[in-house]
Amino acid sequence: EIQSDLQQTKASQRLIQGDVGSGKTLLGFLAVAAAVDSGLQGVFMAPTELLAAQHFKNITTLLGDRVSIVLLTGSLSASRKKAIYEQIQTGAAQIIIGTQAVFQEKVVFAKLGVAIIDEQQRFGVAQRTYLLQKGVTDAVHCFTLTATPIPRTLSMALFGTIQLSILKEKPQGRAPITTYLTPAQKEHLVLKSIKNCVARGQSVYWICPLISESEVINASAAQQRFSILKEHPDLSDIKVGLLHGRMNASDRHDVLQAFYNGDYHVLVSTLVIEVGIDHPLATLIIIESPDRLGLSQLHQLRGRVGRSNLASYCLLLYDQNISEKGMERLTALCETDDGFKLAEMDLAIRGPGEFLGARQSGFQSLKFFSFDNNMDMIEDVLIKIKSLDQEQHRWISEFFQHNVNSDYWEHSVTQ
């Protein structure tokens, strides 16, 4: 399907959805390599420097010296950035791996042909548009990779604006992840789970939404949780590390490397580890204040464990003041590990966003169907519409204009 897209003269857009570890990144590498084979440039944009650096390392290992690959991130020195800008503009850089730095004004591509947007739910609509506008022609093929599409992207895929490819298979040799709803007052049981996990020679993530405590937002903070665990008498023989976004890139790298090496048994972190962190011995993840996060984020975080054949667990540590809708979302996460089903639930709960705008979620006043109750009908109608000829399309358009009130018409005619 990707090869077919790349043979088109007009720009194509395809959403590649597959669970954590199913091979989405490798498909992205193959697509940018195909661009190079055609004499064009390929760009691969990741949401964090940690993930961009990991991609750069992996694609360099795969392609070796056969292709010129550069890494562009915000933390590089001004002189290093200037040198990379020149390589991109002259075409000397064939594959560009980077963060949001790749669509900044100073980045001018010689001949961009393929854009890969990894973990696309982490980018805004406008950010994705900026990147595609970097092409010298309109034929920049865009492939977005995700484990759980945001509602707007999923609804666009349903309506045919974006083509959809699904990697249905689970990675071989992976044990399922069991997810539990755990009330905060049972924290002593969580600590016991940590000790049991470490005793087996395995590692633990403890995730907090905030770096430090806030007077405005009622959510757990990583710095405070780190201090509590580090000084807890029941965990005196367990080494705890801290990772968050305010640390510089070098310190973050050192902490992660120490965690991989087993120097830390527990890593207290913010959402910086949501994507791109792969530690096979990590089998337990505790997520505090999970109702503050979207289903997509929670599913990605849960995917940091279960990356081997070891049984893995996710504990959602919720507060007693959680809302009914928040509990509904967390229950949904416990019931399935299917990222696409979770995205459909998110679509039903949060809404599809704007078809002709930039809102990522929210509901429109559609009178004749709902996304949660009429998915099968929508798909059937789309299949029929694609088989119609031009005259039949014109007849349907006139029918709507004369028979549907103006409010609905404004929302629906383009679809």
Side-chain angles (χ1 to χ4, degrees):
E1 291 171 335
I2 292 171
Q3 288 177 332
S4 176
D5 289 347
L6 294 175
Q7 291 169 4
Q8 305 301 316
T9 56
K10 293 184 179 180
S12 59
Q13 293 193 63
R14 181 172 296 276
L15 172 64
I16 300 172
Q17 192 272 341
D19 229 327
V20 176
S22 59
K24 302 182 297 296
T25 302
L26 185 57
L27 289 175
F29 288 169
L30 291 170
V32 292
V36 174
D37 279 343
S38 300
L40 302 172
Q41 290 170 302
V43 61
F44 198 120
M45 185 170 70
T48 67
E49 290 195 10
L50 286 172
L51 185 53
Q54 179 172 294
H55 287 337
F56 177 73
K57 177 182 177 182
N58 290 338
I59 195 170
T60 301
T61 300
L62 287 169
L63 300 181
D65 298 329
R66 290 172 290 176
V67 178
S68 172
I69 308 170
V70 297
L71 174 65
L72 180 59
T73 64
S75 66
L76 296 177
S77 65
S79 60
R80 180 60 183 150
K81 286 180 184 175
K82 183 178 179 181
I84 293 176
Y85 294 156
E86 291 176 358
Q87 293 178 58
I88 295 173
Q89 189 166 4
T90 60
Q94 297 169 293
I95 294 178
I96 299 89
I97 309 292
T99 57
Q100 299 176 25
V102 300
F103 64 71
Q104 301 307 311
E105 187 176 348
K106 293 182 179 179
V107 179
V108 179
F109 291 90
K111 40 190 174 179
L112 181 61
V114 172
I116 308 296
I117 301 176
D118 196 13
E119 307 296 349
Q120 61 87 36
Q121 72 278 1
R122 297 286 295 272
F123 295 101
V125 176
Q127 291 174 315
R128 284 173 264 169
T129 303
Y130 292 152
L131 180 59
L132 297 181
Q133 289 173 345
K134 291 287 185 179
V136 291
T137 69
D138 291 332
V140 178
H141 300 286
C142 179
F143 301 98
T144 55
L145 317 178
T146 189
T148 48
I150 51 175
R152 181 180 187 274
T153 306
L154 179 60
S155 58
M156 289 176 70
L158 286 173
F159 277 101
T161 309
I162 294 178
Q163 298 301 311
L164 181 64
S165 296
I166 301 175
L167 299 175
K168 295 181 180 179
E169 295 82 4
K170 294 283 186 180
Q172 292 184 5
R174 297 286 177 89
I177 305 168
T178 306
T179 306
Y180 294 107
L181 274 170
T182 309
Q185 59 266 32
K186 292 190 176 181
E187 190 175 300
H188 62 286
L189 297 178
V190 176
L191 298 180
K192 183 178 179 181
S193 297
I194 291 175
K195 294 184 70 174
N196 291 338
C197 183
V198 173
R200 294 192 298 267
Q202 299 165 13
S203 302
V204 181
Y205 295 105
W206 190 305
I207 308 302
C208 301
L210 303 179
I211 296 175
S212 55
E213 288 184 333
S214 169
E215 295 180 359
V216 179
I217 303 174
N218 181 25
S220 61
Q223 289 177 336
Q224 283 66 38
R225 176 55 62 186
F226 170 71
S227 297
I228 291 170
L229 294 180
K230 192 174 181 181
E231 299 169 6
H232 202 287
D234 291 344
L235 302 178
S236 57
D237 56 341
I238 290 177
K239 297 176 182 178
V240 184
L242 175 64
L243 184 70
H244 58 73
R246 288 184 197 155
M247 300 166 64
N248 63 47
S250 177
D251 289 343
R252 290 199 301 266
H253 177 270
D254 290 344
V255 169
L256 275 175
Q257 195 60 51
F259 184 56
Y260 292 155
N261 294 340
D263 298 334
Y264 295 129
H265 303 118
V266 178
L267 181 63
V268 178
S269 175
T270 57
L271 305 183
V272 293
I273 65 114
E274 179 185 338
V275 292
I277 308 302
D278 186 359
H279 184 24
L281 289 179
T283 58
L284 173 63
I285 183 167
I286 299 121
I287 306 175
E288 259 192 285
S289 305
D291 52 306
R292 304 290 309 184
L293 308 176
L295 278 175
S296 175
Q297 287 179 304
L298 291 169
H299 183 60
Q300 286 282 6
L301 287 167
R302 177 169 60 180
R304 295 314 99 205
V305 298
R307 304 183 75 84
S308 68
N309 60 353
L310 300 172
S312 297
Y313 305 91
C314 173
L315 306 183
L316 304 175
L317 201 60
Y318 68 93
D319 187 85
Q320 60 181 0
N321 297 322
I322 187 173
S323 67
E324 183 177 342
K325 181 159 284 190
M327 182 60 77
E328 177 187 355
R329 291 168 56 250
L330 298 185
T331 302
L333 192 75
C334 294
E335 291 175 349
T336 182
D337 63 352
D338 187 317
F340 205 73
K341 286 182 179 178
L342 288 170
E344 290 181 348
M345 293 177 186
D346 224 10
L347 179 66
I349 294 170
R350 294 173 59 203
E354 295 177 334
F355 295 114
L356 306 180
R359 286 183 59 199
Q360 302 262 49
S361 61
F363 289 93
Q364 297 181 37
S365 56
L366 302 178
K367 299 186 178 209
F368 301 123
F369 66 83
S370 64
F371 285 95
D372 50 342
N373 295 325
N374 302 114
M375 284 287 190
D376 292 341
M377 182 196 75
I378 294 170
E379 291 176 3
D380 288 344
V381 169
L382 287 172
I383 291 170
K384 289 180 172 65
I385 286 176
K386 288 179 180 179
S387 68
L388 300 180
D389 59 30
Q390 187 173 0
E391 178 63 21
Q392 290 169 317
H393 273 289
R394 184 191 61 77
W395 185 90
I396 290 176
S397 178
E398 291 180 355
F399 173 84
F400 271 95
Q401 283 178 310
H402 289 98
N403 292 281
V404 183
N405 71 55
S406 59
D407 288 339
Y408 182 77
W409 167 249
E410 289 175 3
H411 285 298
S412 304
V413 61
T414 307
Q415 309 310 329

